[in-house]
Amino acid sequence: MSAYTLCEGLLDTVITPMRAVEVKTQDGRRIGHVVRGDVADCERTGTFRFEPTSGPSTSMGIVGATARTILHRLLRPSYILLHERQRWTLHDLPGENLLYFAVAGTVQARRLVARLDWDDSVQITADGAEVGRVDPGDLLLDTRLRADDDLDPPLFGLIMLIPFIYRVYEQEAELIESLLD
């Protein structure tokens, strides 16, 4: 596994004109950046795009709610992952998502699960084997990522985008918790 870092700001997942967040290797070489994305049917502030220095970008967004689906959006959101002309849908894992971050789906015929681990990192598995891990960091600190070296671009892009989706999850969980208090 190779190690990467990115330094997102506290408000990067909230404000619409998000600044580009650089993704670097452990030795400081820039491999791309993450910006606000644009995916049909997804919320503007819940959509992000990883743009590698070479090759096609990968986008991931939270499917937006309508008046009829607002409760479903809060209890079990869906996510769309785009890479070139391919599109996959992922969902929060029912029950688990109320306690912690847990997203699953099938991408390139591989069963993916991104789940908050006991050490507050997010583990990403494909067909049961760990392919990546995200250590989110606090506030303005560096987020550390690890990814298998031989991942296909859509899976690698997903790992680069998970920290941003996780930040949105954290913000919404805090909001729901404060409403229930």
Side-chain angles (χ1 to χ4, degrees):
M1 276 199 192
S2 295
Y4 305 91
T5 61
L6 55 88
C7 186
E8 77 275 25
L10 178 62
L11 299 177
D12 282 345
T13 56
V14 177
I15 58 175
T16 302
M18 179 181 150
R19 69 178 176 86
V21 177
E22 288 190 348
V23 179
K24 297 180 180 181
T25 61
Q26 194 170 13
D27 63 2
R29 184 175 49 87
R30 184 179 173 276
I31 63 157
H33 60 272
V34 176
V35 294
R36 180 77 57 212
D38 185 22
V39 175
D41 302 324
C42 289
E43 299 172 355
R44 179 81 176 125
T45 57
T47 303
F48 307 93
R49 183 175 63 246
F50 171 63
E51 297 178 343
T53 53
S54 64
S57 64
T58 303
S59 297
M60 186 172 186
I62 302 169
V63 175
T66 63
R68 286 185 21 197
T69 63
I70 189 71
L71 186 59
H72 184 269
R73 162 63 182 87
L74 289 174
L75 296 177
R76 190 170 182 232
S78 297
Y79 309 88
I80 294 175
L81 180 70
L82 292 177
H83 183 80
E84 292 188 299
R85 296 183 192 270
Q86 298 175 314
R87 178 183 174 117
W88 301 274
T89 302
L90 297 95
H91 302 279
D92 274 12
L93 289 168
E96 291 183 48
N97 67 321
L98 299 176
L99 302 173
Y100 51 84
F101 183 74
V103 175
T106 302
V107 176
Q108 292 187 313
R110 296 179 79 182
R111 175 75 175 155
L112 289 179
V113 177
R115 181 182 278 134
L116 188 65
D117 208 350
W118 60 271
D119 63 356
D120 290 331
S121 66
V122 176
Q123 178 188 43
I124 299 103
T125 60
D127 297 329
E130 184 172 321
V131 294
R133 185 170 291 268
V134 175
D135 295 302
D138 296 321
L139 300 178
L140 302 175
L141 298 178
D142 286 335
T143 295
R144 294 169 312 285
L145 305 102
R146 290 185 303 260
D148 272 355
D149 297 320
D150 59 346
L151 287 178
D152 291 331
L155 300 178
F156 184 81
L158 175 120
I159 292 170
M160 297 300 120
L161 296 170
I162 283 291
F164 298 90
I165 299 297
Y166 176 66
R167 292 279 190 221
V168 172
Y169 168 86
E170 281 186 315
Q171 292 160 357
E172 290 178 356
E174 287 176 15
L175 175 65
I176 291 169
E177 186 178 311
S178 68
L179 291 173
L180 294 176
D181 283 342

